[in-house]
Amino acid sequence: MRLSQMFGKTLRSEPAEAESVSHRLMLKAGMVYQVSAGVYSYMPLAWRVLRNIEQIIREEMDAAGGQEVRMPVLQPLELWEASGRSAAFGDTLFKLKDRRQRPLCLAPTHEEVITQMAKQHIHSYKDLPRLPYQIQTKLRDEARPRAGLMRVREFDMKDLYSMDLDQAGLDVSYDKMVQAYKNIYKRCGLPALAVEADSGAIGGKDSHEFILIAESGEDRVVRCQGCGFAANLERASGVKPPLEKEDPLPLEEVSTPGIHTIKGLADYLDVPEAKTLKAVFYSADGQVVFVTLRGDLEVNEVKLKNLLRAADLRLATDEEVKAAGLVAGSASPIGITDLKRVADDSIELGSNFVVGANKPDTHFKNANYPRDFRIDVMADIAEVKEGQGCPQCGKPLSIARGIEVGHVFKLGTFFSEVFGAYYLDAQGKQQPIVMGCYGIGVGRLMAAAMEQNHDDKGIIWPVPIAPYQVHICALSMDKPDVQSAADQLYSTLQGEGLEVLYDDRDESPGVKFNDADLLGMPVRLTVSPRNLKSGSVEFTERVTMETRMVPLDGVVAEVKSILANSN
Ligand code: ATP
Ligand code: MG
């Protein structure tokens, strides 16, 4: 590709709207065009990278036994009502009507349709296992599209669905996919980490996310340096610090004027925050829920939502709290009988807690469970804190931010039972197909690759996904010998099957070098009058920025050897 002809220009200035490194680099390199919030066009450079990534994914899926199919984006809403996921996705699901007023939606994922296809095409145990997949557009009306391609409303995803006889078969398919995913990330230059993930309300058994540790990520990952345990904060548990057990003392009312926070309360009464119980009020599908946990901990809303099997969970509003007769700042479960009471199991790790007295400016000392109050559901609903013990080995846990670049999920028989996707086993008995689903976002993977592979000058493309392998910088294009040598090099390299971006523009060396650094092709070849005098070109590897002279007749071999060694 001649840069002078390319559709897409680099920016000389910094894009003001950039929200992350990859977003900035993509805008600066002229790779994407924003059409509206979370909706992008890809310019030729980005599209080449995306197609390279797709190809890597396709190769790995095929190698693991995948079969490529294609399903529609436009789907009858009915299907989503049958599975209950119209409600579960809520406003994230794009809904529309056709000319006959039939309700439709734009698919955010494809379990419903693939299960219907399985129902029609899988009849016997001889038809299993099957691993259909597609690489195709998903639509999600995300609440907060952000950071360029990281969170968008229209994106391409590879989604594979495993269909097996039983749980053991599912385990085999799952392991194959985990391995295929590891291969994909490696080829894309990403040290992605497999972490235990939340499996949501549908409650499949196992689920792992692949996370790239990065400051700009929206996910938080809990990791143990001791045993390698890693889990998304949404589902992780830690060992909560126990308190010394004391003999229960009598409940004692204390006046706490103007005190509404746990910190204020702990300071005022000179006790550690862990010695208090906090009350938090939620609205779960419209019902107020009274949540109690130790004062040094916070509620993990994902755990709470799963525990309550709620489609919608949010903090209760002041009005809802008042209407429920609760005294915010001085509330406790003591004497509460008409609301659902949920507690974190930390309330049993200690005794003689300070709690609210359910009247303004008043607390109790020495509250003890179950002596003083009742709970309807007790479980681990607390968020892990840095330094808590690992649930597997007890060593301290750390928390880091990361980008979710893939998700694998054991669905079990939820969808096959909803849609009646059964097969006959060897005994002639009807069994539901056991399913799993496996997703990778192609655009987010490209953005993550840029987050991981760049320096202050620009992108450093990993060789397998680079838009072009070689970037020719021809300096002084007005000199006929430069032009003819550069043209010649361009066609020789292309003739050797290499992908080449040729900067044939009439621009200064500074501009050309800056663009070459920004665009980040693995090898840069500089043709200049001075280099040509010695029959050489300047050879620069983007990753190290090391430069050396290579004779013109040795360039092809040198380029090939560098590219081969970087794969
Ligand atoms: P998130 O938690 O980031 O919203 P998700 O868990 O809803 O994602 P999945 O349904 O697991 O997403 O989708 C599989 C993969 O698709 C994700 O691992 C991610 O790579 C990609 N993906 C999901 N949502 C988006 C989005 N809005 N924009 C870009 N890529 C996305
Ligand atoms: Mg996910």
Side-chain angles (χ1 to χ4, degrees):
M1 179 73 199
R2 287 176 180 265
L3 206 44
S4 62
Q5 306 298 309
M6 196 167 76
F7 183 41
K9 280 200 177 349
T10 57
L11 298 180
R12 303 268 159 102
S13 57
E14 286 300 321
E17 68 270 40
E19 293 172 23
S20 67
V21 171
S22 58
H23 192 196
R24 181 177 74 83
L25 290 170
M26 272 186 283
L27 291 172
K28 215 170 166 206
M31 289 169 60
V32 292
Y33 173 82
Q34 183 170 353
V35 178
S36 75
V39 181
Y40 283 86
S41 293
Y42 309 117
M43 301 296 284
L45 282 177
W47 188 236
R48 290 180 72 91
V49 178
L50 292 168
R51 282 195 320 188
N52 289 342
I53 294 175
E54 270 187 31
Q55 192 49 33
I56 289 172
I57 294 175
R58 191 171 274 123
E59 284 167 19
E60 294 294 339
M61 291 298 110
D62 291 347
Q67 303 180 39
E68 193 164 356
V69 298
R70 178 79 169 188
M71 289 176 266
V73 172
L74 191 61
Q75 300 187 357
L77 187 61
E78 218 180 287
L79 280 183
W80 291 76
E81 278 166 356
S83 66
R85 291 213 299 176
S86 173
F89 270 90
D91 288 341
T92 305
L93 187 66
F94 277 108
K95 300 179 198 79
L96 67 160
K97 291 217 164 102
D98 70 9
R99 62 172 75 209
R100 294 188 180 81
Q101 299 305 307
R102 278 187 298 236
L104 298 167
C105 67
L106 304 177
T109 170
H110 282 76
E111 283 80 3
E112 280 75 0
V113 168
I114 200 82
T115 311
Q116 287 206 314
M117 289 157 72
K119 178 183 163 76
Q120 180 145 354
H121 291 279
I122 291 174
H123 306 132
S124 130
Y125 68 96
K126 291 181 192 147
D127 299 329
L128 292 168
R130 292 289 182 271
L131 300 172
Y133 78 95
Q134 63 177 348
I135 301 175
Q136 184 256 19
T137 307
K138 303 282 184 255
L139 287 121
R140 297 182 180 183
D141 197 359
E142 298 277 1
R144 278 174 295 279
R146 66 175 279 278
L149 298 187
M150 283 296 178
R151 184 168 297 283
V152 285
R153 299 196 294 166
E154 175 174 329
F155 59 99
D156 289 346
M157 193 204 283
K158 184 287 301 173
D159 42 327
L160 181 142
Y161 302 88
S162 64
M163 300 167 179
D164 280 284
L165 293 171
D166 51 22
Q167 196 60 41
L170 171 58
D171 292 346
V172 171
S173 295
Y174 193 82
D175 291 348
K176 270 191 200 164
M177 280 301 123
V178 167
Q179 189 50 52
Y181 273 41
K182 288 183 176 164
N183 300 345
I184 291 166
Y185 299 123
K186 186 150 183 271
R187 292 175 69 182
C188 294
L190 288 179
L193 188 72
V195 315
E196 292 178 13
D198 171 50
S199 30
I202 300 175
K205 249 192 66 204
D206 270 326
S207 168
H208 286 88
E209 281 163 354
F210 289 86
I211 303 263
L212 175 73
I213 300 297
E215 237 346 276
S216 60
E218 284 182 277
D219 282 271
R220 280 176 298 163
V221 183
V222 174
R223 282 189 297 173
C224 172
Q225 308 299 351
C227 68
F229 165 80
N232 193 309
L233 186 70
E234 289 181 343
R235 74 154 271 156
S237 296
V239 179
K240 295 163 191 168
L243 295 182
E244 230 170 89
K245 274 275 182 201
E246 299 163 354
D247 288 336
L249 298 171
L251 212 53
E252 182 190 327
E253 195 174 293
V254 284
S255 165
T256 50
I259 306 247
H260 301 292
T261 63
I262 289 292
K263 176 154 189 345
L265 186 66
D267 287 349
Y268 185 72
L269 296 175
D270 196 23
V271 293
E273 291 185 12
K275 227 19 200 156
T276 69
L277 295 185
K278 71 167 75 153
V280 195
F281 318 121
Y282 281 92
S283 163
D285 296 333
Q287 292 284 320
V288 174
V289 177
F290 192 114
V291 177
T292 308
L293 75 169
R294 228 170 58 181
D296 58 330
L297 302 172
E298 306 296 331
V299 176
N300 176 324
E301 295 187 357
V302 175
K303 287 185 192 171
L304 179 61
K305 191 171 176 208
N306 290 342
L307 180 70
L308 297 172
R309 298 189 170 276
D312 177 48
L313 181 82
R314 55 170 173 79
L315 284 170
T317 61
D318 290 349
E319 288 71 41
E320 286 166 332
V321 170
K322 251 192 223 132
L326 297 167
V327 187
S330 285
S332 83
I334 296 179
I336 301 283
T337 51
D338 50 350
L339 294 177
K340 180 153 189 145
R341 296 156 302 185
V342 178
D344 181 59
D345 51 19
S346 57
I347 68 165
E348 290 193 303
L349 298 172
S351 40
N352 296 327
F353 288 106
V354 176
V355 302
N358 293 323
K359 54 183 178 181
D361 299 331
T362 317
H363 282 80
F364 285 126
K365 278 180 166 176
N366 307 327
N368 288 284
Y369 175 79
R371 185 190 70 181
D372 301 319
F373 58 93
R374 299 278 165 273
I375 287 300
D376 299 306
V377 195
M378 174 128 59
D380 166 35
I381 50 160
E383 194 157 282
V384 170
K385 290 176 99 172
E386 183 100 25
Q388 278 184 358
C390 168
Q392 288 179 5
C393 76
K395 297 244 169 65
L397 293 170
S398 62
I399 301 178
R401 287 200 164 272
I403 302 166
E404 178 192 324
V405 287
H407 197 164
V408 294
F409 198 129
K410 290 185 182 172
L411 294 168
T413 56
F414 177 85
F415 289 99
S416 18
E417 286 178 41
V418 167
F419 293 106
Y422 294 96
Y423 70 91
L424 291 179
D425 68 14
Q427 284 72 45
K429 208 169 148 240
Q430 226 183 26
Q431 304 282 1
I433 299 172
V434 180
M435 293 175 59
C437 66
Y438 312 84
I440 287 190
V442 182
R444 192 184 283 180
L445 195 62
M446 173 169 82
M450 297 166 89
E451 296 282 335
Q452 182 69 29
N453 301 284
H454 68 271
D455 60 15
D456 55 356
K457 298 189 168 82
I459 308 163
I460 305 173
W461 289 115
V463 170
I465 63 172
Y468 293 93
Q469 297 161 319
V470 183
H471 187 131
I472 299 176
C473 274
L475 309 184
S476 317
M477 274 300 278
D478 50 337
K479 303 245 163 55
D481 56 336
V482 168
Q483 191 180 347
S484 72
D487 282 359
Q488 180 61 47
L489 185 60
Y490 179 50
S491 70
T492 305
L493 291 168
Q494 284 186 311
E496 291 288 331
L498 293 162
E499 293 165 344
V500 188
L501 185 65
Y502 173 19
D503 191 349
D504 61 338
R505 296 172 304 171
D506 187 16
E507 292 282 3
S508 71
V511 167
K512 292 195 173 199
F513 288 145
N514 281 344
D515 279 348
D517 291 345
L518 172 65
L519 298 178
M521 304 321 148
V523 170
R524 178 169 95 204
L525 302 175
T526 306
V527 181
S528 71
R530 202 178 50 165
N531 298 341
L532 284 179
K533 271 199 199 122
S534 59
S536 308
V537 295
E538 200 179 76
F539 189 108
T540 308
E541 279 178 68
R542 179 66 183 90
V543 66
T544 57
M545 289 307 269
E546 272 166 24
T547 289
R548 58 186 177 278
M549 300 305 290
V550 173
L552 269 168
D553 57 6
V555 169
V556 169
E558 185 70 8
V559 169
K560 284 190 169 170
S561 118
I562 291 294
L563 294 177
N565 289 335
S566 324
N567 272 328

